[in-house]
Amino acid sequence: MAQWTSAVGAAQLARLLKSQQDRPAGPGTRRPPAYRSLADGIRLLVLEGRVPVAARLPAERELALALSVSRTTVAAAYEALRTEGFLESRRGAGSWTAVPAGNPVPARGLEPLPPEALGSMIDLGCAALPAPEPWLTRAVQGALEELPPYAHTHGDYPAGLPALRAMIAERYTARGIPTMPEQIMVTTGAMGAIDAICHLFGGRGERIAVESPSYANILQLMREAGARLVPVAMAEGLSGWDLDRWRQVLRDAAPRIAYVVADFHNPTGALADEDQRRRLVEAARSAGTVLVADETMSELWLDDAIEGAMPRPVCGFDPAGSTVITVGSASKAFWAGMRIGWVRAAPDVIRSLVAARAYADLGTPVLEQLAVNWLFSTGGWEEAVRLRRAQARDNRDALVAAVRRELPDWEFEVPEGGLTLWVRAGGLSGSRLAEAGERVGVRVPSGPRFGVDGAFEGFVRLPFTVGGAVADEAASRLAAAARLVADGGTAGTEAPRTFVA
């Protein structure tokens, strides 16, 4: 009986490996033998979760042909991986990926580290900040006061609590986008919202156009749903969206869905201007594509100059409501532990989403909905988000200064909002930096997590989640990881020391 649960084709594996193998070696660095380079590349893909554990790898002859190397090179690489515990084989069943005994199974998304690991490891993997107290406690207390009437009901509200739906609709109307409660569905976070949309509009095998790069967890969600991702390259730096490329992809590929983060894009931090938003909506409408606009970062502007000058929401350019579906969330602007999201769409789309929910999660927790409704209705939300902006701004400035000091050859532009810095890592492999970072006590996601088929190998994403002395220490550890990678991983490493902010 085979021990593998999925398979990776030769062409797909070759694409994933290509960017790693093609990056030039640093000055004075000796290239490893070809088989060693291939084994290291596959091991990195497994450690990062981009090739799942228990995935059947191509036969030696197939992979050798796809990579234009000898079969002997592939055989030697596979044998090295078997020796290290990253590959298992059985005659007649092939070879499949594994992890050595005692190693945790790699995550395919960007899950936060467990709290007990934070003493020795600085976590730059998850773009989320601690709760803005005292507003979390006050919101929960307010929710408990409002709970008794709901406790006498069944507690299932597939579309969300009527009071919260009305409040979210009112907030869109205040932004100049007239909205009825019937256009709102409350979800379990933005991920729950996008998962529901993908299942409604993007069945298995459907094309979904995505920014390249894009949010790693959403890309993985779409892959798991069986979507065929169509990447659309972002422009360099913070200039954002290339509308000629978008128009061509929407016309030629005819994707059922397009997913965009127009407000402080994750991971680049870019902000789409009004002309880009208008043209993107027009292109989607012409192609018959449903445009999903993720607004989870929309309230996280960090510079005073942009306050009051934010572009209109993407849905503001779709007055008929036939093209744009908007997704919002409390998780980034308030707290990741507050798993409340929402969808704004045409009433018939909301009805379809609600009907399909009967076969998914039935509804979102009532207490958390009441807490968010309390924040919206009392002004607590605005106060909490003000605290969040100040903290993110301070962290951004501290991290930028520390990285520029410790790693002056790393390149990036400083965004005006959001929670992430997209960094070109001085010609080094992002995958290898992520691996080396684990060894020196800093966890950082590599660029390929945010792309399709191995793109962005030369990048890492740094979130604004640490500041002050912790930001300095994080940059110092990143510099140590960079030295390890530049030296070919041969330099000695110290055990990561416990660090308390």
Side-chain angles (χ1 to χ4, degrees):
M1 177 179 177
Q3 301 298 306
W4 46 273
T5 57
S6 61
V8 181
Q12 179 188 7
L13 185 57
R15 288 195 302 269
L16 290 169
L17 289 164
K18 186 176 187 302
S19 58
Q20 294 177 347
Q21 293 177 325
D22 284 353
R23 295 197 69 76
T29 301
R30 289 188 299 177
R31 285 188 178 275
Y35 85 89
R36 184 69 261 173
S37 178
L38 175 56
D40 286 347
I42 295 174
R43 178 173 53 83
L44 282 171
L45 292 173
V46 173
L47 287 172
E48 286 205 317
R50 290 191 283 137
V51 168
V53 175
R56 186 181 187 275
L57 294 186
E60 294 171 2
R61 189 185 304 277
E62 294 174 357
L63 186 57
L65 184 62
L67 293 174
S68 299
V69 299
S70 71
R71 183 177 176 181
T72 302
T73 296
V74 178
Y78 278 14
E79 181 57 33
L81 290 168
R82 276 190 288 269
T83 301
E84 296 164 4
F86 286 94
L87 196 69
E88 296 181 9
S89 303
R90 178 179 295 176
R91 184 178 297 276
S95 299
W96 56 92
T97 56
V99 292
N103 282 38
V105 176
R108 303 200 72 189
L110 299 179
E111 291 79 5
L113 283 175
E116 60 269 19
L118 295 178
S120 60
M121 183 73 69
I122 297 176
D123 187 7
L124 297 181
C126 185
L129 291 162
E133 290 286 30
W135 295 104
L136 174 61
T137 298
R138 292 182 183 177
V140 173
Q141 290 171 341
L144 287 171
E145 293 175 1
E146 299 292 332
L147 182 61
Y150 295 93
H152 294 293
T153 73
H154 49 63
D156 287 335
Y157 295 88
L161 294 184
L164 181 55
R165 295 176 72 196
M167 182 60 68
I168 294 170
E170 183 180 316
R171 290 174 64 83
Y172 275 106
T173 300
R175 294 167 67 189
I177 314 296
T179 303
M180 304 178 295
E182 292 79 9
Q183 293 176 263
I184 303 295
M185 181 176 83
V186 180
T187 63
T188 307
M191 293 287 288
I194 293 169
D195 182 57
I197 294 166
C198 286
H199 279 89
L200 181 63
F201 289 99
R204 186 165 293 276
E206 289 279 6
R207 295 184 181 91
I208 300 180
V210 295
E211 298 146 328
S212 184
S214 187
Y215 179 35
N217 285 342
I218 292 295
L219 294 181
Q220 191 56 39
L221 181 155
M222 292 173 175
R223 291 187 188 103
E224 297 290 346
R228 298 163 61 189
L229 300 184
V230 182
V232 186
M234 298 281 286
E236 284 292 321
L238 298 177
S239 54
W241 290 258
D242 185 327
L243 272 300
D244 290 336
R245 287 177 180 169
W246 270 103
R247 189 175 294 106
Q248 179 180 357
V249 167
L250 294 179
R251 182 184 65 241
D252 296 346
R256 187 72 181 91
I257 301 173
Y259 169 77
V260 297
V261 185
D263 299 288
F264 308 120
H265 175 259
N266 186 354
T268 68
L271 176 67
D273 61 32
E274 293 211 354
D275 182 60
Q276 289 173 324
R277 296 171 191 234
R278 178 184 298 104
R279 292 170 61 195
L280 185 56
V281 172
E282 290 172 353
R285 185 183 297 117
S286 296
T289 297
V290 175
L291 182 62
V292 180
D294 186 335
E295 284 192 336
T296 54
M297 298 282 191
S298 64
E299 296 190 63
L300 289 177
W301 62 82
L302 304 183
D303 293 342
D304 293 339
I306 201 169
E307 184 174 1
M310 284 288 292
R312 278 186 292 164
V314 175
C315 60
F317 300 94
D318 180 37
S322 59
T323 299
V324 178
I325 297 178
T326 303
V327 172
S329 172
S331 297
K332 295 297 186 186
F334 186 74
W335 183 47
M338 188 68 77
R339 304 304 306 158
I340 298 295
W342 52 86
V343 177
R344 181 198 180 275
D348 62 318
V349 172
I350 295 296
R351 287 192 295 270
S352 296
L353 289 170
V354 171
R357 196 171 194 181
Y359 310 101
D361 64 355
L362 293 178
T364 302
V366 169
L367 189 62
E368 293 185 26
Q369 292 188 70
L370 289 172
V372 171
N373 192 58
W374 183 92
L375 288 165
F376 284 158
S377 61
T378 62
W381 177 268
E382 284 70 24
E383 293 298 323
V385 173
R386 190 174 293 115
L387 289 175
R388 171 65 76 240
R389 292 190 195 110
Q391 184 180 14
R393 182 188 307 115
D394 291 345
N395 287 356
R396 179 196 64 181
D397 295 346
L399 187 64
V400 164
V403 172
R404 282 177 170 164
R405 181 177 62 252
E406 297 287 343
L407 294 149
D409 57 334
W410 285 21
E411 302 171 46
F412 53 85
E413 291 189 39
V414 182
E416 298 175 298
L419 289 173
T420 57
L421 197 67
W422 185 237
V423 181
R424 190 187 300 273
L428 300 177
S429 160
S431 298
R432 298 182 190 280
L433 280 168
E435 183 194 31
E438 296 277 353
R439 295 161 60 186
V440 299
V442 59
R443 181 173 181 257
V444 58
S446 68
R449 284 184 174 271
F450 304 88
V452 177
D453 284 342
F456 308 109
E457 183 60 52
F459 289 80
V460 293
R461 188 195 74 171
L462 305 181
F464 311 144
T465 52
V466 297
V470 185
D472 293 338
E473 179 67 14
S476 176
R477 295 185 187 187
L478 284 171
R483 288 192 294 272
L484 271 177
V485 175
D487 292 339
T490 58
T493 60
E494 298 179 358
R497 57 186 180 275
T498 300
F499 189 84
V500 179

